[in-house]
Amino acid sequence: MTINATLINLYHVCKRECWLHANGVRMEHTSDTVYDGKLLHETSYPQRNDKYSEMNISSSYDNIDLFGKIDYYDARDKIIHETKRSDKMEIAHEWQVKFYLWLLKLNGISNATAILEYPLIRHTSHLELKIEDEEYLQDTVKLVLCLIENEGCPPVINANICKSCSYYELCYIDEE
């Protein structure tokens, strides 16, 4: 099983969504929010496609395969640019980006940094990978692997974010 950046993000949002996604239940195609995010990514910084490149990066840690797809990477200045629609899940976004930074480091690219951008609210965060972040990610990767290899799906979390989730109807089908 490969642990990717999406699973790291989802793990910090909802363990159930992480498990479902990892086990092949994909609902993103039904979500206007996901579509809006992709559109925002494509239109917010059109000049980036000329300056920076998309980058697939992989490595392994403790015999666990790791993968990330960095949308924009400035190789000269070693800066990841990640664009998100809303900062409601900022912690999850930060760990996703720190996962990318960790993958870069595992591939011999040290001292890379990242800019997490929310163009709709004109907010940016500058991120770097600290030693304690690496330790946290090492633990998180193992926890995600245990979660997704579990036969049972985690319970519904009943949070405010559920109403805008692409898995909402699947999770709450018996609620009405």
Side-chain angles (χ1 to χ4, degrees):
M1 173 62 72
T2 299
I3 304 299
N4 63 39
T6 300
L7 295 176
I8 297 297
N9 180 313
L10 294 176
Y11 182 81
H12 289 89
V13 175
C14 173
K15 310 283 188 286
R16 181 180 181 91
E17 184 178 1
C18 182
W19 187 92
L20 288 165
H21 184 89
N23 284 281
V25 180
R26 305 286 167 83
M27 302 298 289
E28 295 83 3
H29 65 281
T30 67
S31 172
D32 289 339
T33 304
V34 172
Y35 176 77
D36 287 347
K38 287 181 181 182
L39 188 60
L40 179 72
H41 166 76
E42 293 168 1
T43 60
S44 291
Y45 304 101
Q47 72 282 8
R48 281 208 180 136
N49 290 330
D50 298 332
K51 283 176 88 173
Y52 308 127
S53 61
E54 185 177 272
M55 182 174 165
N56 290 334
I57 187 164
S58 60
S59 190
S60 65
Y61 168 73
D62 204 21
N63 293 317
I64 302 169
D65 292 329
L66 309 173
F67 176 77
K69 183 177 179 182
I70 300 170
D71 293 333
Y72 297 108
Y73 181 63
D74 176 353
R76 186 185 59 150
D77 294 326
K78 299 196 293 189
I79 300 174
I80 294 169
H81 293 269
E82 182 74 15
T83 305
K84 296 293 186 183
R85 184 176 181 269
S86 165
D87 65 349
K88 287 181 183 176
M89 304 298 158
E90 189 168 16
I91 298 299
H93 300 156
E94 288 176 1
W95 284 113
Q96 177 183 351
V97 172
K98 287 181 180 185
F99 181 76
Y100 294 145
L101 291 170
W102 184 42
L103 282 175
L104 288 173
K105 187 171 182 181
L106 289 172
N107 280 277
I109 303 170
S110 58
N111 300 318
T113 60
I115 301 173
L116 184 54
E117 300 166 314
Y118 301 96
L120 294 178
I121 59 171
R122 296 187 174 126
H123 173 70
T124 60
S125 296
H126 296 269
L127 302 170
E128 57 186 45
L129 185 68
K130 299 177 182 159
I131 292 171
E132 56 268 20
D133 296 333
E134 289 181 62
E135 292 168 355
Y136 177 81
L137 286 165
Q138 291 167 359
D139 291 341
T140 301
V141 161
K142 291 176 184 176
L143 290 170
V144 170
L145 187 62
C146 286
L147 172 76
I148 63 180
E149 288 182 341
N150 194 328
E151 287 188 27
C153 182
V156 174
I157 62 172
N158 288 313
N160 288 337
I161 59 169
C162 295
K163 290 183 177 117
S164 61
C165 178
S166 59
Y167 290 82
Y168 180 79
E169 290 183 21
L170 178 69
C171 291
Y172 292 93
I173 195 161
D174 292 333
E175 295 296 314
E176 293 183 23

